[in-house]
Amino acid sequence: MSPIEQKQQQVETLMRLAPVIPVVIIDDARAAVPMARALVAGGIPTIEVTLRTSAALDAIRAIAAEVEGAVVGCGTALTARDLAAAQQAGARFAVSPGTSPRLLDAADDSELPLLPGVATASEAMALLERGYRHLKFFPAVPAGGHKLLGAWASPLPQIRFCPTGGISLSSAPDFLALPNVLCVGGSWLTPADKLASGDWTGIELLAREAAGLR
């Protein structure tokens, strides 16, 4: 089995852990551990911490070290440096909003499995040529929503998706019902107000709702 096939199997495993991967934007790394514990307690073990804030790598490091049952990865991976820093912090996977030749080359050299983003069938085909069968569909709602993704199921039957971007608890079932969707990504599980106030019970309840979507 080739390295890309091995990493794609890892991606498939994490995509099947729960129906939703929370997309987390965290401003205070001190919130990372209680937040992650609340998500895991609610049945959501896979956590994507986006590299959009200065606290992100410290948050990944803390979750990886202290939260049993959590599978933490980095989101908004754009460069080889991002992949290296996330891996060093303890990330188990990486997610990108799109792709570039340099990022894909860096992913080939990295131990981290990558879930790369696409918004068109042409982008999906290009990644399929490189061995990627598990992709992020982003931004899911603005790019065409579940109807577009459903239309890809027949001509691109090899590919499974994690649609992310504009999805909510109420719209997630439309995506999860598709044969080519394994999970969705969503920021609604960790809203900024609950992170700021330390409402871990509230986040656990949101996680339980999300875990119950299947």
Side-chain angles (χ1 to χ4, degrees):
M1 184 181 297
S2 69
I4 183 67
E5 289 173 335
Q6 290 178 340
K7 285 187 276 191
Q8 283 292 286
Q9 283 192 349
Q10 291 175 289
V11 170
E12 180 178 0
T13 297
L14 69 90
M15 289 173 70
R16 291 184 180 278
L17 288 176
V20 182
I21 297 177
V23 180
V24 181
I25 301 173
I26 193 160
D27 293 308
D28 185 350
R30 293 173 296 182
V33 167
M35 172 205 70
R37 285 176 175 157
L39 290 170
V40 172
I44 301 293
T46 309
I47 304 169
E48 175 191 336
V49 178
T50 63
L51 300 181
R52 303 181 196 178
T53 69
S54 59
L57 288 173
D58 285 339
I60 291 170
R61 189 174 293 110
I63 294 169
E66 300 181 41
V67 183
E68 184 177 355
V71 181
V72 64
C74 79
T76 322
L78 306 178
T79 65
R81 181 176 295 181
D82 290 339
L83 295 179
Q87 182 177 337
Q88 187 175 23
R92 303 264 296 276
F93 64 94
V95 184
S96 62
T99 56
S100 70
R102 286 186 177 181
L103 179 63
L104 293 176
D105 289 344
D108 287 343
D109 295 332
S110 171
E111 294 181 10
L112 283 186
L114 175 66
L115 179 64
V118 300
T120 69
S122 295
E123 292 169 341
M125 289 170 60
L127 282 167
L128 188 60
E129 287 181 354
R130 291 194 63 143
Y132 286 88
R133 296 175 293 102
H134 297 87
L135 308 176
K136 170 181 174 177
F137 176 48
F138 178 82
V141 173
H146 68 278
K147 290 184 178 180
L148 177 61
L149 198 53
W152 289 354
S154 180
L156 298 171
Q158 312 95 321
I159 302 177
R160 296 294 179 267
F161 292 93
C162 173
T164 303
I167 298 174
S168 65
L169 179 68
S170 61
S171 64
D174 291 332
F175 289 92
L176 292 168
L178 298 174
N180 56 346
V181 170
L182 295 184
C183 64
V184 302
S187 59
W188 82 84
L189 281 73
T190 55
D193 59 339
K194 292 189 184 299
L195 288 175
S197 65
D199 184 4
W200 314 127
T201 299
I203 287 177
E204 182 178 342
L205 290 174
L206 291 173
R208 289 190 184 280
E209 284 183 325
L213 285 171
R214 279 203 185 125

